[in-house]
Amino acid sequence: MALTLGRMSIDNGFRRVIHHTCFNSMKRQRLYSTVLKEERNSGNSGTGGTVVSERRGAVMVIGINRPEARNAVNQETAQRLTEELTAFDQDNSLDVAVLYGVGGNFCAGFDLKELAQSSGSLKLEQDVCRGPGPMGPSRMRLSKPLIAAVSGYAVAGGLELALLADLRVVEESSIMGVFCRRFGVPLIDGGTVRLPQLIGLSRALDLILTGRPVKAQEALTFGLANRVVPDGQALQVALELAEQVGAFPQLCLRADRNSAYHSVFDSSSFTQAMQYEFDHGLPVIPAEAVTGATKFSSGSGRGGTFSKSKL
């Protein structure tokens, strides 16, 4: 779950981080304005209010649109995010999704103002197999890649949403962390499940127990960030990365991706993981690998795939 930053009482270390981020806020807003203006004028954006969406070829771009609350997620936003990512996963014409926050922050977590005002009526699905999490899509296992474009704050439930993604493109002044630690708000959107698998138990416990802020370069060292980019460029770089990933043969890519997830979260043994990999990779050989091998052997696949790839 998330955490509204405006209500935080923070120590000197946190104040220094927030001062640094606020100092860069106007710069980040200016850099984002070009991309956001393009989205508004494209005519393809969804009119979802707290969540906006746009198709760019085979890429679905989904934005959390509550900049006045640093994109903290309320119940409406959680529902809309679930709907958008479910629609993406079921649409065969889409290959990759990009998730970002409108206005310079990725997501400050669950909206604690709403929690405080409606705690008696707040209904959360306890069975993780039957419904969405408090942050919306956090319990999902997508069948296709999701890339998070992280700017500003990605903390508490916002960090958990970033962990849902396969890759995270993080801006230089961004701050990540389990900020909800100080307020008794638990990680119930996958944070204690995905984070240790992603960066290792020791580093995950460091973040979970201390609730300290993590800057972009440290996140890159941890493996929490996959790319660090200048402020204002996360969305554009994430879109370019999505297009590159989407250009590969998709059956093969998804088989390898899903096998990696299976080996980490579902496999009971090395042998079982190896069997799963082989069983799900084998059908790809006649479907895509033979065509790819033929193209390579004829020379038409050389150079383009290997020498020009930006990945």
Side-chain angles (χ1 to χ4, degrees), residues 60-218:
M60 173 62 78
V61 187
I62 301 169
I64 305 172
N65 189 30
R66 300 190 74 216
E68 74 285 352
R70 291 193 174 97
N71 292 322
V73 169
N74 58 10
Q75 293 182 76
E76 177 190 354
T77 309
Q79 180 180 346
R80 290 284 296 112
L81 284 172
T82 303
E83 292 170 351
E84 291 289 353
L85 281 171
T86 299
F88 156 71
D89 209 43
Q90 295 175 351
D91 191 331
N92 292 331
S93 68
L94 293 168
D95 294 329
V96 187
V98 172
L99 179 64
Y100 74 103
V102 174
N105 286 289
F106 181 73
C107 176
F110 192 82
D111 190 342
L112 292 190
K113 290 183 179 179
E114 181 178 79
L115 177 62
Q117 295 168 2
S118 60
S119 58
S121 60
L122 184 65
K123 296 181 180 180
L124 302 178
E125 176 55 62
Q126 193 167 357
D127 187 339
V128 299
C129 296
R130 296 184 57 184
M135 293 293 293
S138 55
R139 296 171 178 172
M140 295 179 70
R141 286 278 294 271
L142 296 170
S143 64
K144 297 180 284 189
L146 171 66
I147 299 172
V150 177
S151 59
Y153 288 106
V155 296
L159 173 63
E160 291 178 293
L161 281 184
L163 294 175
L164 175 65
D166 299 271
L167 301 172
R168 283 152 295 280
V169 178
V170 180
E171 293 184 358
E172 290 176 334
S173 68
S174 293
I175 300 296
M176 308 176 85
V178 187
F179 278 23
C180 48
R181 175 55 52 236
R182 292 169 174 257
F183 299 90
V185 181
L187 295 169
I188 56 176
D189 280 277
T192 65
V193 178
R194 291 190 174 98
L195 189 61
Q197 291 287 3
L198 189 68
I199 66 174
L201 180 61
S202 178
R203 284 172 167 168
L205 286 175
D206 180 7
L207 305 191
I208 291 170
L209 296 180
T210 67
R212 68 180 180 84
V214 177
K215 296 181 180 180
Q217 287 299 328
E218 185 180 15

